[in-house]
């Protein structure tokens, strides 16, 4: 019994040491949207079919329906795109040379775009658009 307790204690120490090495938890939604939260001080709870991640140290919070969650992973870098505004004025999607999703994948020109944010390129001009 003492041996099992000591092995369990050693494993818990190793696992807690490894978890402290990661700086961010990144949540990836089904539509490709990524949200990175600071891992130190992070609390994750599950309630009514939702994952709620809250960081008491940074006031970051994210609530996501479990059905919308594609994956989540710990990393040492913030994996979000950094896009903070959406522009579409005077720019036609039909005239675009290329359309990309937020992960950088090129969207085929004949594909119909679902709801979300896209990056469109025409010549030397690049814009962000939101499809509603």
């Amino acid at each position: 019994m003492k041996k099992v307790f000591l092995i369990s204690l050693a494993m818990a120490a190793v696992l807690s040491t490894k978890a402290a090495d990661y700086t961010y938890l990144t949540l990836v939604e089904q539509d490709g949207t990524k949200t990175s939260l600071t891992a130190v001080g992070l609390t994750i709870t599950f309630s009514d079919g939702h994952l709620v991640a809250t960081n008491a140290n940074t006031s970051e919070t994210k609530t996501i329906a479990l059905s919308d969650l594609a994956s989540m992973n710990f990393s040492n870098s913030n994996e979000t795109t950094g896009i903070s505004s959406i522009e579409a004025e005077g720019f036609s999607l039909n005239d675009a040379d290329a359309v990309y999703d937020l992960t950088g994948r090129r969207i085929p020109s004949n594909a119909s775009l679902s709801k979300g944010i896209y990056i469109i390129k025409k010549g030397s001009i690049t814009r962000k658009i939101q499809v509603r």
Side-chain angles (χ1 to χ4, degrees):
M1 184 68 162
K2 195 180 224 183
K3 205 183 250 188
V4 172
F5 176 72
L6 289 174
I7 291 172
S8 298
L9 185 61
M11 287 179 61
V14 169
L15 291 175
S16 65
T17 302
K18 275 304 215 187
D21 292 342
Y22 296 107
T23 311
Y24 295 97
L25 170 67
T26 301
L27 304 170
V28 182
E29 297 181 45
Q30 295 289 345
D31 65 1
T33 304
K34 291 183 179 182
T35 304
S36 289
L37 303 165
T38 306
V40 177
L42 188 67
T43 303
I44 300 172
T45 57
F46 298 92
S47 176
D48 297 326
H50 288 82
L51 177 145
V52 180
T54 306
N55 191 311
N57 298 341
T58 63
S59 300
E60 296 170 295
T61 193
K62 175 69 176 178
T63 301
I64 181 171
L66 292 175
S67 60
D68 292 337
L69 184 64
S71 68
M72 59 188 230
N73 62 293
F74 287 96
S75 67
N76 288 321
S77 62
N78 185 337
E79 297 181 22
T80 57
T81 62
I83 295 174
S84 58
S85 64
I86 301 167
E87 302 173 25
E89 299 168 10
F91 207 84
S92 171
L93 182 60
N94 297 332
D95 298 333
D97 294 334
V99 179
Y100 300 91
D101 65 13
L102 289 181
T103 61
R105 291 181 299 218
R106 189 171 183 159
I107 306 296
S109 58
N110 60 350
S112 62
L113 300 178
S114 59
K115 289 182 181 181
I117 300 173
Y118 297 89
I119 299 169
I120 56 175
K121 183 172 175 66
K122 173 72 174 164
S124 63
I125 300 171
T126 304
R127 301 276 187 201
K128 299 170 287 278
I129 64 160
Q130 179 178 19
V131 175
R132 296 180 186 200

